[in-house]
Amino acid sequence: LDANSGLKSRFTEVIDFPDYTADEMVEILKSFARKFTLDEEFIEKSKSIFEKMLLNKTKDFGNGRDVRKYFEECKMMLYKRLAMEYGAPENVPEWAIKTLTGADVPQII
């Protein structure tokens, strides 16, 4: 609506969509990661990250969209960690490819 002042003038009602809580964001993360095993440290660190996101949110805070971006960053951290730990892809155990740990939480805040 901010991009088109003419469009903004046509709407008289404002719909407020409250932000998800950190616990709800963890549940969203779990749904994105349903094919992964999430260890307890990963979940705890993720909740802490979400709490910080909520405290420091900007106008363009994306709730579920930000959780999806966070999950993608966690997967990248996982794959980088596995490359360092195991070297060649054929050396990585199958279980490790689908297990997110506290080491896979990016330092985004």
Side-chain angles (χ1 to χ4, degrees):
L1 293 177
D2 289 337
N4 183 335
S5 59
L7 184 60
K8 190 173 187 175
S9 68
R10 293 183 182 125
F11 291 93
T12 57
E13 295 291 323
V14 174
I15 300 172
D16 181 40
F17 294 100
D19 294 326
Y20 292 115
T21 65
D23 287 326
E24 290 170 324
M25 292 172 80
V26 167
E27 292 305 311
I28 293 167
L29 175 64
K30 287 177 181 179
S31 74
F32 288 148
R34 65 186 169 277
K35 294 182 181 179
F36 286 77
T37 299
L38 309 179
D39 80 5
E40 194 60 37
E41 183 183 13
F42 176 82
I43 293 171
E44 289 172 15
K45 284 185 171 184
S46 295
K47 182 177 178 181
S48 178
I49 292 284
F50 297 148
E51 288 169 345
K52 289 176 185 174
M53 282 180 175
L54 289 166
L55 286 174
N56 300 311
K57 68 184 175 184
T58 60
K59 180 181 173 186
D60 62 342
F61 177 65
N63 276 304
R65 180 183 64 226
D66 285 347
V67 175
R68 178 177 292 282
K69 286 195 270 184
Y70 171 78
F71 175 56
E72 294 301 323
E73 290 180 45
C74 291
K75 289 192 303 185
M76 291 305 299
M77 295 291 291
L78 167 66
Y79 302 143
K80 287 178 186 178
R81 177 176 60 80
L82 294 177
M84 290 180 65
E85 288 179 15
Y86 294 96
E90 60 270 10
N91 296 335
V92 180
E94 187 65 32
W95 64 267
I97 296 170
K98 295 292 183 179
T99 302
L100 288 161
T101 70
D104 304 316
V105 173
Q107 298 300 319
I108 60 173
I109 294 181

